[in-house]
Amino acid sequence: MVAWSIWKKRNTKLWENIHEHVEKVVCRAQGVINAWQNARSYTHVRPASNLQLQQQQIRWRPPPTEFLKCNVDAA
């Protein structure tokens, strides 16, 4: 998160000509980490029967012919 926040600081200076202090860079990284940890700590448990039923009902369908489908992988 720190590396991402430094990258964000660089882009903000380059594209918007806004200088951010180091404290803001660190606080942004901590805030994103805290938000991620909070999101990961929330677990919603569904009954197994509902989960199995939902998995059976989901089927892939090709997009309509007038649409273009584009998959993007950030890895």
Side-chain angles (χ1 to χ4, degrees):
M1 281 302 125
V2 173
W4 170 80
S5 191
I6 291 170
W7 173 79
K8 173 90 171 144
K9 172 187 171 43
R10 175 239 179 230
N11 283 347
T12 302
K13 176 63 177 164
L14 180 67
W15 300 110
E16 300 173 25
N17 200 27
I18 297 173
H19 175 74
E20 295 180 340
H21 293 283
V22 174
E23 293 84 9
K24 182 168 184 176
V25 174
V26 173
C27 286
R28 178 175 39 232
Q30 288 175 336
V32 173
I33 288 172
N34 289 339
W36 181 81
Q37 288 174 335
N38 288 339
R40 297 275 299 158
S41 68
Y42 175 77
T43 56
H44 180 71
V45 179
R46 294 183 195 168
S49 60
N50 287 346
L51 182 59
Q52 289 172 352
L53 181 62
Q54 286 180 350
Q55 288 175 345
Q56 292 173 356
Q57 292 175 349
I58 298 172
R59 298 204 184 250
W60 181 85
R61 286 183 234 143
T65 55
E66 65 271 7
F67 287 91
L68 175 67
K69 185 172 190 282
C70 177
N71 292 334
V72 178
D73 187 350

